Amino acid sequence: MSENNREQFRPDDHPNEHFLLTSIVGSYPKPKWLNRAADLADDPDSKFTDEHLHEAHDDACRVIVDEHERTGLDTVSDGEMRRNEMVEFFADRIDGYEFNGPVKVWGHNYFDKPSVVDDVEYGESWLVDEFEFTNAAASKPVKVPITGPYTLASWSFNEAYADDAELSYALADLVNEEIEALVEAGARYIQIDEPALATTPDDHAIVGECLDRIVANIPDEVRIGLHVCYGDYSRIYPELLEYPIDEFDVELCNGDYEQIDVFTDPEFTTDLALGVVDVHTTDVESVEEIKENIREGFKVVPPERLTVSPDCGVKLLPREVARQKIENMVTATREIEAELDAGEIDLGPEVSAD
């Protein structure tokens, strides 16, 4: 990791000497009018065209970027306004995938689970247009989330490869191509989403091999994060310390940090991105509550290696609730930084600065 890997995201007018990077994981509630626009675009009897929907997506991206910036976040995104679902969106852009209709996953919910029916191949870029538009609309650095190859393989029907490991490796090579294109376009913060990882024991080695392929030839100044939400983290720790990543992003708030000790023995050696607001409740955590949650992170890493974020994507929350949670999260972070500057927080002997 280069020295600038993290410091490049410190704003020029940052008010405190300490700097805890604030970010979001990815998804954000879509404006209601955007969902209505998507329904109209699907209706052959309406006069709402794909061009109209494209314009609506552009407008929604501008609105969400502005909303993120007004909360004070250090890095922003468009809230994945153009994405429908984390596997479908990418499968639809990868040669070798096809869709055969939705499958029932739980309760009355359905998922348009894709099938891999031929060798997967990289055609046109998946996210460069999205990044370039968002970057032009933003005054702050943009983080780009990408669904990881292990999850893309695990949550698809595999009808073309010998096993899911071989499919994962083939997809990892495509993700590497996409990241190279994003870096060429100016992206400096990439997050690989692998929610399937902590739910399946003994597959951490497959994900490690995927990550080695993903970061091949990617410059050190590009920050690579890995987000794994829910699950039993002890299944992948300490093996994840061998991963070629700059930051590991976890969902611990909705479990009251009962798993925080998993990351203390052996010593956590990469940066930690800690979820400090629960994305499964509409209760808005107070600034004081969030400050206590941030302090949980100091049990694992010193402040200069802690990133503050929600537990996961916030798209299922009411939009105003999501905004208030993030606004409180940023306020709490800046107050913690000021208290660190003033020497009012005892970090304890177990966490020291490098």
Side-chain angles (χ1 to χ4, degrees):
M1 183 192 306
S2 73
E3 292 182 359
N4 195 41
N5 182 291
R6 182 186 184 85
E7 278 299 300
Q8 65 185 312
F9 303 115
R10 179 194 288 259
D12 293 336
D13 60 349
H14 190 67
N16 302 310
E17 181 178 346
H18 280 85
F19 174 54
L20 277 65
L21 178 63
T22 58
S23 188
I24 71 163
V25 170
S27 69
Y28 198 77
K30 289 183 170 65
K32 289 183 174 60
W33 51 261
L34 182 59
N35 293 327
R36 176 60 178 150
D39 291 341
L40 286 171
D42 287 338
D43 183 354
D45 295 327
S46 80
K47 296 181 180 179
F48 202 87
T49 66
D50 287 343
E51 287 74 20
H52 295 149
L53 181 61
H54 184 79
E55 181 180 337
H57 280 143
D58 285 353
D59 290 343
C61 291
R62 293 189 188 95
V63 167
I64 300 306
V65 166
D66 180 69
E67 194 157 308
H68 284 179
E69 294 197 345
R70 283 188 285 112
T71 65
L73 284 165
D74 299 310
T75 64
V76 301
S77 82
D78 70 357
E80 302 179 4
M81 291 296 108
R82 303 178 197 276
R83 306 186 194 183
N84 48 351
E85 194 273 338
M86 65 182 303
V87 173
E88 291 176 36
F89 177 85
F90 292 94
D92 193 41
R93 286 157 176 76
I94 298 174
D95 295 340
Y97 269 99
E98 70 175 28
F99 292 89
N100 297 299
V103 297
K104 195 171 184 178
V105 286
W106 69 85
H108 296 290
N109 293 310
Y110 287 82
F111 164 50
D112 201 1
K113 186 172 181 176
S115 298
V116 178
V117 297
D118 203 346
D119 290 350
V120 292
E121 295 183 0
Y122 186 84
E124 295 183 0
S125 167
W126 315 332
L127 299 172
V128 168
D129 287 349
E130 175 187 295
F131 168 74
E132 290 181 334
F133 184 90
T134 307
N135 199 41
S139 63
K140 295 189 174 182
V142 174
K143 182 164 83 171
V144 183
I146 302 176
T147 303
Y150 178 76
T151 297
L152 287 174
S154 299
W155 293 358
S156 305
F157 295 114
N158 176 15
E159 302 173 12
Y161 286 81
D163 52 40
D164 284 355
E166 291 303 315
L167 174 57
S168 297
Y169 300 149
L171 288 165
D173 291 337
L174 307 191
V175 173
N176 172 256
E177 287 191 64
E178 178 64 17
I179 294 179
E180 286 185 338
L182 285 164
V183 171
E184 179 68 22
R188 292 296 179 270
Y189 196 175
I190 308 289
Q191 175 185 280
I192 309 299
D193 294 329
E194 289 285 18
L197 174 57
T199 63
T200 307
D202 303 325
D203 277 0
H204 44 74
I206 297 174
V207 175
E209 170 64 22
C210 286
L211 288 166
D212 284 338
R213 293 172 182 238
I214 285 171
V215 304
N217 302 316
I218 303 300
D220 288 345
E221 63 264 28
V222 177
R223 187 168 185 80
I224 302 292
L226 175 65
H227 172 63
V228 179
C229 45
Y230 60 80
D232 181 357
Y233 291 109
S234 67
R235 288 174 165 172
I236 56 174
Y237 196 83
E239 289 82 2
L240 71 86
L241 296 178
E242 301 299 320
Y243 291 167
I245 58 175
D246 302 302
E247 177 180 273
F248 186 62
D249 188 301
V250 295
E251 177 177 349
L252 294 179
C253 184
N254 72 4
D256 293 328
Y257 299 95
E258 290 181 354
Q259 293 192 65
I260 194 73
D261 289 343
V262 167
F263 303 105
T264 60
D265 186 20
E267 180 183 0
F268 196 79
T269 53
T270 189
D271 287 1
L272 176 69
L274 184 70
V276 298
V277 294
D278 189 345
V279 302
H280 299 289
T281 174
T282 56
D283 295 336
V284 177
E285 295 87 347
S286 69
V287 169
E288 286 304 316
E289 288 175 307
I290 298 173
K291 288 169 69 174
E292 287 300 315
N293 295 342
I294 293 172
R295 290 188 182 93
E296 291 285 339
F298 297 150
K299 296 177 180 177
V300 180
V301 293
E304 62 271 23
R305 288 174 42 207
L306 184 65
T307 298
V308 177
S309 73
D311 257 354
C312 194
V314 296
K315 70 177 182 181
L316 296 181
L317 293 172
R319 186 170 152 200
E320 180 59 17
V321 170
R323 187 197 64 77
Q324 289 179 1
K325 281 176 179 271
I326 292 174
E327 189 170 87
N328 283 4
M329 182 186 85
V330 174
T331 298
T333 303
R334 301 287 95 99
E335 289 188 10
I336 286 284
E337 290 173 344
E339 292 171 13
L340 286 165
D341 284 0
E344 297 172 354
I345 295 178
D346 181 8
L347 297 175
E350 67 273 16
V351 174
S352 60
D354 287 339

